Every structure is written in structure tokens, then in C-alpha cells.
Amino acid sequence: MENCVFCKIIKGEISSNIVYQDDDFVIFPDLNPKAKLHYLAVPRKHFALLSEAGYDEEILIGRILKKVSTLSKTLGLENGYRIIINQKGEKGNDAGQEVMHLHIHILGGEKLN
Ligand code: 5GP
Ligand code: ZN
């Protein structure tokens, strides 16, 4: 998708420090971390919202979540982590989703409030 910052990162047009990648998704640190460790897990396929997900995307999201659990030690998240998915709504954006390419925030590395 043109003008999508995460598509550009996935294509290598914007640099990021990718810490994990496979055929389905990539994980890289958030540019403006909200915790000592803050990663984004981003499907290679561009779609913005969970409401748009079909069966393949449902499976994909499940795969990502499970993979994050197996990578947790590698990512420095042995003490646990928090997962957040911000979602824009039909009428507003209470969650403040900024990037309209579905992504999973993974936060940890310290005690979170
Ligand atoms: P959202 O508010 O959409 O859930 O989160 C978007 C996140 O993407 C923000 O936490 C923001 O810091 C991060 N972000 C935006 N642009 C870039 C970028 O170019 N590189 C990286 N690594 N993160 C970005
Ligand atoms: Zn995209």
C-alpha cells in the first residue's frame, strides 16, 4: 500500500531494526517506545482493522500471538509483557490508532502501570 509507513518498513524503504521476520510478519522496535522494551509485530499483508480480517487473517493474528510467546525470551520479555492493538472506530478514534496497517504492540522490560 502506497504511503503506508509499515509497508515501507517491510519493503526496506524505511529503515528499522527488524528483530524477527518470517513469510507472514515482522517484528521491530517502536520508534517512540512507551516502555523500556516496545516492539511492533506487523503482518506483511496490508489491512488496517480486525473488522476487515477474513479467515486467513484470523489465523495469521493467532500465529503472531503464539510466535511472540515463543520469542519472549529472545526479546527480553522473560518477566512478561503486554499486548495492545489500537483500533480506529467507524465514528471516531478513541484508541488513537495512527498507522492504518494492523500492528500488535508488545510492551515490557519493566513493571508496567
Ligand atoms: P498506533 O497508534 O497506530 O497503534 O501505533 C503506531 C506506532 O507506530 C506508534 O507507537 C509509533 O511510534 C510507531 N511508528 C510510527 N512510525 C514509525 C516508524 O517509522 N518506525 C517505527 N519503528 N515505528 C513507527
Ligand atoms: Zn501497509
Side-chain angles (χ1 to χ4, degrees), residues 49-64:
L49 298 169
L50 292 167
S51 59
E52 297 167 12
Y55 181 73
D56 287 350
E57 290 76 25
E58 289 180 25
I59 299 295
L60 174 60
I61 292 159
R63 255 212 76 223
I64 296 173

Side-chain angles (χ1 to χ4, degrees), residues 3-45:
N3 293 325
C4 170
V5 64
F6 290 169
C7 282
K8 287 181 179 171
I9 286 174
I10 287 162
K11 284 189 220 153
E13 293 171 9
I14 294 177
S15 70
S16 71
N17 180 18
I18 290 178
V19 295
Y20 174 82
Q21 59 180 317
D22 64 24
D23 288 348
D24 293 332
F25 72 100
V26 303
I27 302 178
F28 51 85
D30 195 291
L31 194 61
N32 294 302
K34 314 281 188 306
K36 196 167 175 192
L37 294 174
H38 183 173
Y39 303 98
L40 300 170
V42 183
R44 290 185 185 278
K45 182 176 181 182

Side-chain angles (χ1 to χ4, degrees), residues 1 4 6-7 46 100-101:
M1 180 71 69
C4 170
F6 290 169
C7 282
H46 180 100
M100 297 309 290
H101 180 137

